[in-house]
Amino acid sequence: MNAHYSRLKRDVLIAGILLVLVGAGLIWKREDKGNAAPVDKAAAAEGAASANTRSSDAERPIAARGAPQWQFPVRSEAETKALQARAEAGDAAAQRELAWAYDRCWIMSLDPAGYPRQIHVMASLLPSPRAAAIIEQAGRALMKECAGLDDGQRIPMDAITLWMQQAARGGDLEAIAMTWRPNNTHALEQETLWDRVIAEGNAEALHALINVYQAEEINRRFGDVLTRDDASSALLLAACRLGKDCGPGSVFMRTMCTAAGACADASYETFLMGQLPVAEREVLQRQVEAVLQKLQRKGWASTVPLLP
């Protein structure tokens, strides 16, 4: 694998992570001069999937050999209704989780009948029968979960943003991080927000902070140990090490699979490292270690050992 290809492959995976992180409705447009709005990756993914359904290459059969033994998690209809009830009663954590549920289901809700074919098309383009089997399973799990959300009705994009904003106003730290932008009535100052995330050891909120609007603060805090090209990768892996569930069969990996085609019965770290040549892998691992050490020195006590 040459350096150019490996860099391109990793960039695609990181783009997939950001898609999972900010989703369809949580991409904030910067209005201040000189800051272009980021691309709506979820909408782009929808367009790409629609285009692929017209490709004649999509008709080749999918082998189901080597399907994983575990099953992707699915929130049942009863659990979904209970989550909605807690959110409507004012539970900020439930409001944030409901926003994420809407976020995951938004694209599928645009064309529920056509979604199985979109998944099949994506499966046909994956590099192995095992990956194809995993995305087929991930797609079925997502469809089952989304069928219990608002009785499978089309999801307005506003539902995603409004519930996440409500959770932020209710004090949920991950939601505050997720919706951060200048001049929010519920926003903390950037430095204060990072300090609070570190002090509380909130890996999900750390993960949410790793977006285009935090580049300056990331450089200020970690610029001495991170290279510009690897900053997002290292911080994302650090968040996974610190408690965000990025393991095999997780909701995170399920979404990585259906949204970005990164389908494996492995953790995100194992999957990402497997795309890199040894030299780049070692550099990235050293940077992850350095980030964990800095966070620990700043008061984050729950660092975990490196994977072999």
Side-chain angles (χ1 to χ4, degrees):
M1 183 185 297
N2 62 49
H4 174 74
Y5 176 80
S6 66
R7 177 66 62 187
L8 177 62
K9 179 68 173 177
R10 187 171 62 186
D11 287 348
V12 169
L13 290 176
I14 293 302
I17 283 287
L18 291 176
L19 184 152
V20 173
L21 176 65
V22 297
L26 297 175
I27 298 175
W28 302 109
K29 295 185 178 181
R30 295 294 293 270
E31 297 178 355
D32 44 313
K33 187 176 180 181
N35 290 285
V39 175
D40 188 333
K41 295 182 180 67
E46 179 198 358
S50 297
N52 283 337
T53 61
R54 295 189 293 272
S55 170
S56 59
D57 293 337
E59 298 302 328
R60 63 181 186 272
I62 304 300
R65 299 188 305 275
Q69 298 302 307
W70 40 261
Q71 296 291 314
F72 282 108
V74 176
R75 182 180 283 125
S76 69
E77 184 173 353
E79 290 169 333
T80 297
K81 290 186 183 302
L83 176 67
Q84 290 178 303
R86 292 196 305 273
E88 290 166 0
D91 184 322
Q95 291 166 348
R96 178 244 302 153
E97 283 303 306
L98 184 58
W100 280 130
Y102 281 128
D103 182 69
R104 289 192 294 271
C105 295
W106 178 73
I107 287 179
M108 198 213 72
S109 78
L110 300 178
D111 183 16
Y115 189 74
R117 176 162 173 75
Q118 290 185 16
I119 288 294
H120 187 76
V121 168
M122 290 178 69
S124 74
L125 301 175
L126 293 179
S128 71
R130 189 172 187 80
I134 290 171
I135 197 171
E136 296 277 12
Q137 185 196 109
R140 288 193 297 271
L142 182 63
M143 287 184 283
K144 183 176 180 182
E145 181 174 297
C146 296
L149 190 62
D150 291 350
D151 298 319
Q153 298 300 306
R154 181 168 181 161
I155 295 168
M157 187 178 289
D158 284 351
I160 306 169
T161 55
L162 291 175
W163 278 118
M164 192 67 79
Q165 289 174 331
Q166 185 64 36
R169 284 191 289 270
D172 183 84
L173 187 56
E174 182 185 346
I176 292 172
M178 192 64 240
T179 60
W180 187 91
R181 67 189 190 278
N183 304 318
N184 261 8
T185 56
H186 59 268
L188 301 171
E189 291 296 326
Q190 204 172 34
E191 182 176 352
T192 303
L193 177 56
W194 275 85
D195 288 342
R196 182 176 163 189
V197 168
I198 292 169
E200 295 186 17
N202 192 319
E204 298 282 359
L206 176 64
H207 190 257
L209 282 174
I210 305 164
N211 63 68
V212 294
Y213 307 133
Q214 299 291 334
E216 182 178 343
E217 188 67 15
I218 288 171
N219 184 64
R220 188 180 76 80
R221 289 175 181 268
F222 304 104
D224 59 329
V225 297
L226 294 179
T227 63
R228 181 176 177 180
D229 286 344
D230 290 327
S232 293
S233 306
L235 285 164
L236 290 165
L237 291 177
C240 293
R241 299 273 190 93
L242 291 166
K244 177 171 178 61
D245 187 1
C246 310
S250 61
V251 170
F252 179 79
M253 287 303 290
R254 189 188 77 184
T255 309
M256 277 296 300
C257 182
T258 57
C263 303
D265 48 356
S267 69
Y268 175 68
E269 178 165 353
T270 299
F271 183 72
L272 175 60
M273 291 298 187
Q275 311 305 312
L276 304 178
V278 173
E280 287 191 37
R281 189 185 312 153
E282 291 175 348
V283 169
L284 184 55
Q285 285 177 334
R286 285 196 295 271
Q287 292 183 74
V288 174
E289 283 184 356
V291 168
L292 292 172
Q293 289 168 3
K294 284 182 76 78
L295 289 171
Q296 189 172 37
R297 287 196 298 271
K298 293 292 185 181
W300 195 312
S302 58
T303 49
V304 296
L306 290 169
L307 293 177

